[in-house]
Amino acid sequence: MFPVEIVYLKEPCGDYVSEAVRVAWDVHLKQGPGDILIFLTGREEIERCIDELAELLPTLPKGAPQLVPLPLYAGLTMEAQLRVFEPTERMTRKVVVSTNIAEASVTIDGIKFVIDCGFVKIRTYNATTTLSRLTVVPTSRASATQRAGRAGRTSSGICFRLYTEDVFKSGELMLPTTPPEIVRTDLTMPILQLKALGIDDLVKFEWVTNPPAEGVLRALEGLIGAGMIGDDGRLTLVGEKVAEWPVDVNIARALFSSKEYKCSEEMLTIAAIVSVQDVFVIPEGGNAGALAELERRKFTAEEGDHLTLLNAYNAFIRYGSSSSWCRNHALNFRALSRAVSIRSQLKKYMQRFGLTPLVSCEGDAKRLRQCLVAGFWKNAARFVESEGTFRGVRGNMVLYIHPSSVMFTRKPRTGWVVFHEMEETKKTHIRVITEIEPDWLLEYGHKYVDKRSTA
């Protein structure tokens, strides 16, 4: 690896996206040849950065090299991702705006300048509310070093860190390494799998990194409440089966319940398609964004996102799993192809546990939504009219619908929804949402009393 010069800010900045744009523009005008790599936390920031750079392009001095901003994140189409690896043309500088996918997963030739925002989006878990979320946190010093190294892969380079040197050296603000996943994840599935391996005494088990005690207790409470662990502390028959599924407990519960609700065909598809990201390709703003949104409306179900994704998958299969068809309908061919593969694998587990032959609900959205409640009863939220927000039934958290949801512009008729996951930036957003009847939470969900709260 070649030497990399590190440049820090003298004073903290209030908006690291705009600061990244300013630094990138300054590098383009004043530095020699070499492409630029900007690290940001997610799609929204990346698209905003690219928009701000695009606004500056008409002001380029005559004779200056052209600047080509390119996004890189997991939800992009294959063609869009491959563009960042194409050689840069003469009198052109490429600026790749990426998530931490470019930190270690891929190497882009020609990068000589790195701009590090100092933040990363990671999955965390709140044991009290038993909910997972994507949270933006300061990156670790190890990750910052890894990012800087991207500038020295092919020649010497410069890394611009959008924070002060004091912040980097501070152990309180930037940890030496990223916290292990075991201390920031739902322990329900790991404990279920340990029990399946015959490890019943979790107190004496030697963890590589000890998980939070609260997380272990809450996971055990949830497993007992769901009937997967008996009073003797051992796995029940249902628990043994769920432990073998390569999906999280919520989806496994819904798949087991699908036989009762006679919707296993549709539930299997939903389990596969929520395992992939960004099925719809909706650019931010402009004519392209408006046209893509019109295409998405062709698949939209009034009940919410789960059924909308189901419609998109079924149409993809009906029209021959075509990549050109996906491009014409604002769909991500790579994500849908992956969902087909996942569905095929999950179907083998359905056969193994006697959940076949698969039965279709024949368009009965009520049965399908009841089945979703059986799996995602913990992830329920109610709409608060006076606030215009949602409140989670566990912990009474204030929640907002994510802009990518088909329910973003309307409130649910019943005032109640279940959601697949949470994402936290400046607000706590819920993603992949379906409207439900509140009675189903008692009638079809697990009757579980939390003695530590009134939720």
Side-chain angles (χ1 to χ4, degrees):
M1 187 164 113
F2 293 88
V4 176
E5 179 187 351
I6 306 295
V7 179
Y8 294 93
L9 291 183
K10 294 180 180 178
E11 298 290 337
C13 64
D15 181 352
Y16 58 74
V17 176
S18 293
E19 183 67 14
V21 171
R22 186 194 67 77
V23 173
W25 191 252
D26 198 53
V27 166
H28 182 58
L29 295 179
K30 297 179 181 178
Q31 298 286 348
D35 295 332
I36 303 170
L37 173 61
I38 301 176
F39 283 102
L40 296 175
T41 67
R43 173 179 172 175
E44 292 84 0
E45 290 181 358
I46 288 171
E47 291 185 342
R48 183 186 145 204
C49 180
I50 286 177
D51 287 344
E52 290 188 17
L53 283 168
E55 289 174 6
L56 292 173
L57 293 181
T59 67
L60 270 175
K62 261 190 175 182
Q66 291 299 306
L67 189 66
V68 182
L70 296 170
L72 181 60
Y73 52 86
L76 284 175
T77 62
M78 177 69 79
E79 301 87 68
Q81 290 187 16
L82 290 175
R83 281 193 207 110
V84 306
F85 300 102
E86 294 173 0
T88 308
E89 295 179 6
R90 187 173 173 273
M91 288 298 289
T92 301
R93 192 197 302 271
K94 185 166 59 183
V95 53
V96 178
V97 192
S98 174
T99 61
N100 63 336
I101 191 174
E103 189 177 301
S105 303
V106 297
T107 298
I108 305 167
D109 289 335
I111 298 294
K112 286 190 65 175
F113 306 98
V114 166
I115 300 171
D116 177 13
C117 75
F119 289 90
V120 66
K121 190 179 288 183
I122 62 172
R123 186 169 297 281
T124 58
Y125 178 71
N126 186 321
T128 303
T129 61
T130 68
L131 293 172
S132 297
R133 64 177 72 179
L134 289 168
T135 308
V136 175
V137 298
T139 188
S140 66
R141 292 201 294 277
S143 290
T145 302
Q146 181 74 17
R147 290 179 177 187
R150 298 282 115 180
R153 292 292 173 184
T154 54
S155 65
S156 59
I158 304 174
C159 175
F160 299 87
R161 290 177 172 163
L162 305 184
Y163 44 90
T164 64
E165 190 170 5
D166 289 340
V167 167
F168 180 76
K169 292 179 178 178
S170 169
E172 294 180 3
L173 295 172
M174 294 184 77
L175 299 174
T177 58
T178 303
E181 194 167 348
I182 193 71
V183 303
R184 52 184 177 86
T185 193
D186 181 3
L187 294 171
T188 302
M189 188 54 83
I191 287 176
L192 203 60
Q193 290 169 340
L194 285 174
K195 293 278 185 181
L197 291 170
I199 301 169
D200 288 311
D201 191 346
L202 298 175
V203 175
K204 293 182 180 178
F205 181 71
E206 294 185 6
W207 304 86
V208 176
T209 300
N210 288 326
E214 175 82 357
V216 175
L217 289 172
R218 287 289 181 161
L220 288 170
E221 286 177 357
L223 288 167
I224 292 169
M228 296 182 194
I229 292 180
D231 294 336
D232 60 355
R234 299 182 184 278
L235 287 184
T236 62
L237 186 60
V238 173
E240 289 175 0
K241 291 179 178 179
V242 171
E244 295 188 42
W245 284 81
V247 293
D248 70 37
V249 173
N250 296 338
I251 294 175
R253 275 198 303 251
L255 287 169
F256 274 107
S257 300
S258 67
K259 186 174 184 179
E260 176 188 349
Y261 297 117
K262 296 181 173 59
C263 61
S264 51
E265 188 80 50
E266 290 80 8
M267 196 61 237
L268 179 59
T269 299
I270 288 173
I273 205 159
V274 296
S275 300
V276 299
Q277 292 184 330
D278 298 307
V279 171
F280 292 99
V281 182
I282 313 289
E284 285 287 328
N287 289 335
L291 290 172
E293 183 57 42
L294 286 173
E295 289 297 329
R296 183 172 73 160
R297 289 180 187 177
K298 295 177 181 178
F299 308 103
T300 298
E302 64 178 0
E303 294 86 358
D305 297 309
H306 289 95
L307 274 72
T308 297
L309 291 169
L310 175 65
N311 289 342
Y313 180 95
N314 288 340
F316 175 67
I317 298 299
R318 191 182 312 122
Y319 288 98
S321 306
S322 163
S323 59
S324 60
W325 181 86
C326 285
R327 278 195 301 273
N328 293 335
H329 293 83
L331 290 166
N332 187 334
F333 174 75
R334 185 180 182 187
L336 284 165
S337 299
R338 175 70 177 145
V340 171
S341 173
I342 292 171
R343 190 183 190 278
S344 176
Q345 294 171 44
L346 291 179
K347 186 176 180 179
K348 294 176 183 177
Y349 285 89
M350 299 282 277
Q351 293 167 339
R352 179 176 173 181
F353 295 125
L355 300 175
T356 52
L358 299 179
V359 179
S360 171
C361 67
E362 301 295 344
D364 187 346
K366 179 181 177 181
R367 291 211 309 266
L368 187 53
R369 290 184 295 141
Q370 288 170 341
C371 185
L372 283 168
V373 170
F376 290 88
W377 53 278
K378 284 184 181 180
N379 292 14
R382 58 185 170 84
F383 185 71
V384 181
E385 186 82 42
S386 59
E387 299 176 356
T389 62
F390 284 80
R391 292 274 183 167
V393 295
R394 299 294 303 274
N396 204 34
M397 293 178 62
V398 177
L399 305 170
Y400 298 83
I401 291 183
H402 194 273
S404 64
S405 171
V406 299
M407 299 187 71
F408 180 64
T409 55
R410 62 184 177 89
K411 68 176 184 179
R413 176 185 53 81
T414 64
W416 287 80
V417 298
V418 288
F419 58 90
H420 184 66
E421 65 179 358
M422 291 197 304
E423 177 179 309
E424 185 175 51
T425 48
K426 293 179 181 177
K427 297 178 180 178
T428 302
H429 288 108
I430 49 179
R431 300 176 67 114
V432 191
I433 303 152
T434 289
E435 181 180 329
I436 64 166
E437 297 289 342
D439 293 347
W440 297 347
L441 289 170
L442 293 177
E443 191 175 351
Y444 300 100
H446 294 266
K447 298 175 179 64
Y448 175 67
V449 178
D450 186 347
K451 296 179 181 178
R452 302 186 192 186
S453 74
T454 57

